[in-house]
Amino acid sequence: MSLRLFAALDLPDDIVERVMALMKGVPGAKWRPRENLHLTLRFFGEVTEPVADDLDAALSSTADATAPFELQLKAAGSFGGADPHALWIGVAVDPALTKLAADCERAARRAGLKAEPLKYKPHVTVAYLSAAPLDRVQAFEAQMGLFQTDAFRVERFGLYSSVTRRGAPSLYRLEAEYPLLG
């Protein structure tokens, strides 16, 4: 048996409420449900149970060596250039977040997974797009250019499983939680 796994930060309710209020105005956007809003640290993909166990141990060690930190969401953007396929809310540059994501990458490597080929770009995906008009996507990005949340404290991260469903948002389940103890 295998699991489709990723490591992520859950967002506080007040931050999620602010983000949800922004989710409008783009035809062709499939806005993410509240329970799917998170900040991914590392997507691991399909892994076998023994690899998941190794990953869990490596992530636990990462959490033990990481201190809690402050984070804030800031601005917006899209993936896909002239043919956008996703909208996101960004994250203010933070060395502690960058280090935590890099530590999750190292945990993946220790568990025997291949290196992530893409540079880490912290974001919260708010919508997947289907034939969204480019001008409306650009207007969303421009309107959110000055968006910024209050800082919130990150004290833990989680290992989540994901079940994809045809025609419906993926289902996420928290498999393990790692308090930051460093």
Side-chain angles (χ1 to χ4, degrees), residues 45-104:
E46 292 283 338
V47 301
T48 63
E49 287 189 39
V51 172
D53 291 341
D54 291 345
L55 188 56
D56 175 52
L59 291 172
S60 184
S61 294
T62 291
D64 291 347
T66 304
F69 58 95
E70 298 281 315
L71 199 59
Q72 90 188 120
L73 302 185
K74 182 176 181 179
S78 63
F79 291 123
D83 185 20
H85 57 80
L87 290 174
W88 49 262
I89 300 296
V91 179
V93 175
D94 186 277
L97 175 63
T98 302
K99 181 184 179 312
L100 180 57
D103 289 345
C104 288

Side-chain angles (χ1 to χ4, degrees), residues 30-33 36 128 163-171:
K30 293 178 184 145
W31 300 104
R32 309 317 303 149
N36 284 26
Y128 291 110
V163 176
T164 56
R165 302 183 299 167
R166 189 173 183 90
S170 295
L171 292 176

Side-chain angles (χ1 to χ4, degrees), residues 26 76 78 81-82 84 87 129 132-145:
V26 181
S78 63
L87 290 174
L129 305 173
L134 184 58
D135 64 327
R136 296 297 287 273
V137 171
Q138 291 169 334
F140 178 86
E141 292 177 34
Q143 180 183 356
M144 298 305 132

Side-chain angles (χ1 to χ4, degrees), residues 2-182:
S2 68
L3 296 168
R4 186 171 189 254
L5 298 175
F6 64 93
L9 301 177
D10 193 22
L11 301 172
D13 288 339
D14 61 322
I15 300 297
V16 171
E17 289 297 327
R18 290 231 19 230
V19 170
M20 298 236 6
L22 307 174
M23 296 167 56
K24 59 187 173 200
V26 181
K30 293 178 184 145
W31 300 104
R32 309 317 303 149
R34 176 187 186 94
E35 62 272 11
N36 284 26
L37 297 178
H38 62 271
L39 196 157
T40 301
L41 296 166
R42 171 61 153 86
F43 179 72
F44 304 112
E46 292 283 338
V47 301
T48 63
E49 287 189 39
V51 172
D53 291 341
D54 291 345
L55 188 56
D56 175 52
L59 291 172
S60 184
S61 294
T62 291
D64 291 347
T66 304
F69 58 95
E70 298 281 315
L71 199 59
Q72 90 188 120
L73 302 185
K74 182 176 181 179
S78 63
F79 291 123
D83 185 20
H85 57 80
L87 290 174
W88 49 262
I89 300 296
V91 179
V93 175
D94 186 277
L97 175 63
T98 302
K99 181 184 179 312
L100 180 57
D103 289 345
C104 288
E105 174 64 29
R106 280 189 282 284
R109 301 290 296 281
R110 283 197 306 272
L113 299 176
K114 291 183 180 178
E116 171 58 55
L118 301 175
K119 184 178 186 284
Y120 180 64
K121 179 165 182 62
H123 66 279
V124 176
T125 300
V126 294
Y128 291 110
L129 305 173
S130 177
L134 184 58
D135 64 327
R136 296 297 287 273
V137 171
Q138 291 169 334
F140 178 86
E141 292 177 34
Q143 180 183 356
M144 298 305 132
L146 297 177
F147 172 77
Q148 184 171 308
T149 66
D150 292 334
F152 58 94
R153 190 155 174 82
V154 175
E155 297 180 330
R156 63 186 31 84
F157 70 97
L159 178 63
Y160 293 83
S161 61
S162 171
V163 176
T164 56
R165 302 183 299 167
R166 189 173 183 90
S170 295
L171 292 176
Y172 300 146
R173 186 174 83 182
L174 181 64
E175 298 290 340
E177 192 168 57
Y178 310 99
L180 302 181
L181 304 174

